[in-house]
Amino acid sequence: KAGVTQTPRYLIKTRGQQVTLSCSPISGHRSVSWYQQTPGQGLQFLFEYFSETQRNKGNFPGRFSGRQFSNSRSEMNVSTLELGDSALYLCASSPLTSGSSYEQYFGPGTRLTVT
Amino acid sequence: DQQVKQNSPSLSVQEGRISILNCDYTNSMFDYFLWYKKYPAEGPTFLISISSIKDKNEDGRFTVFLNKSAKHLSLHIVPSQPGDSAVYFCAAPGDNYGQNFVFGPGTRLSVLP
């Protein structure tokens, strides 16, 4: 089975721009979560989608948004980029089946640099 | 609110010896804990999990112990191998619904040949 894929892998944007990141979960996985990783804050939960619905949201401003499509693929969008948004953005998918309900499988991440 | 702490930022161990990585959490309402390993330039890789109905879970060289009364987890790697050198994260549910996991800051393990 192919793993979680994220595109693009690297991105450079300037302050004020917006960006869209894409995630394709493992086939059959319906839950997709997004995390931000920075050296200072570690891994922080952004939001989770399941069956095209946002089920859970972390403590991030409204500039961070996402969506999930019927094929479980997900996108996250960051508008009005700030320097502090520079981070590794990780997507994780989960099968949510009995016996493995909470295991998340991460993609390689998208490294976003805001200048 | 869940907080997850890994008080050792780094750990060095000789090849073949035991590595013990520790993790403390604050909210015992939630009952499932995960360990991840992360190499540079890669996403975290799921390693092993434990449910609160158990106090131990073993998978090959990796064993996770859960002490519910102390709100403490530990990951044992025996024997340690140079390929185990990575950053290890402990994760606990942030709430009882969905996939909101709270991660610890990580412990960088170096296994010396």
Side-chain angles (χ1 to χ4, degrees):
Chain A
K1 244 184 202 181
V4 177
T5 58
Q6 292 186 245
T7 55
R9 290 293 310 277
Y10 302 92
L11 205 49
I12 300 175
K13 291 283 190 179
T14 56
R15 275 180 297 177
Q17 287 187 311
Q18 75 161 16
V19 68
T20 299
L21 312 181
S22 181
C23 171
S24 292
I26 292 171
S27 177
H29 288 195
R30 293 166 65 193
S31 169
V32 174
S33 299
W34 288 89
Y35 290 84
Q36 182 196 65
Q37 185 180 28
T38 58
Q41 299 295 320
L43 265 161
Q44 291 188 291
F45 174 77
L46 278 155
F47 28 66
E48 184 229 353
Y49 285 87
F50 180 82
S51 293
E52 302 177 64
T53 301
Q54 186 182 88
R55 291 205 302 184
N56 221 330
K57 191 177 193 308
N59 295 325
F60 279 82
R63 299 185 297 108
F64 292 81
S65 62
R67 58 178 176 167
Q68 187 181 33
F69 302 96
S70 58
N71 62 358
S72 293
R73 192 177 68 84
S74 178
E75 288 181 347
M76 71 162 278
N77 186 77
V78 189
S79 62
T80 320
L81 283 165
E82 299 176 1
L83 294 178
D85 297 333
S86 295
L88 180 67
Y89 289 89
L90 291 158
C91 167
S93 73
S94 179
L96 292 185
T97 55
S98 173
S100 63
S101 298
Y102 298 99
E103 293 162 16
Q104 294 184 321
Y105 297 86
F106 283 83
T110 294
R111 171 74 61 187
L112 172 66
T113 302
V114 182
T115 62
Chain B
D1 221 25
Q2 179 73 276
Q3 291 181 45
V4 177
K5 298 175 185 176
Q6 292 176 259
N7 290 325
S8 299
S10 62
L11 176 67
S12 291
V13 169
Q14 211 65 39
E15 181 179 4
R17 305 293 291 268
I18 184 171
S19 296
I20 301 176
L21 296 95
N22 294 302
C23 174
D24 297 292
Y25 58 95
T26 56
N27 193 332
S28 56
M29 261 189 70
F30 313 120
D31 59 0
Y32 205 89
F33 304 92
L34 311 172
W35 282 94
Y36 285 87
K37 177 172 72 173
K38 187 179 186 301
Y39 294 117
E42 294 183 13
T45 302
F46 171 73
L47 201 52
I48 192 169
S49 63
I50 189 164
S51 164
S52 62
I53 62 173
K54 297 182 177 181
D55 53 19
K56 175 182 170 182
N57 189 26
E58 196 170 347
D59 184 1
R61 296 185 298 112
F62 301 89
T63 303
V64 56
F65 295 92
L66 174 61
N67 182 333
K68 290 184 281 291
S69 61
K71 299 181 188 176
H72 178 81
L73 291 157
S74 62
L75 175 68
H76 292 210
I77 306 173
V78 184
S80 301
Q81 300 173 353
D84 296 330
S85 297
V87 178
Y88 289 78
F89 294 95
C90 165
D95 57 39
N96 204 26
Y97 180 70
Q99 299 283 291
N100 175 6
F101 276 89
V102 177
F103 283 74
T107 295
R108 181 176 300 279
L109 174 66
S110 299
V111 180
L112 310 172

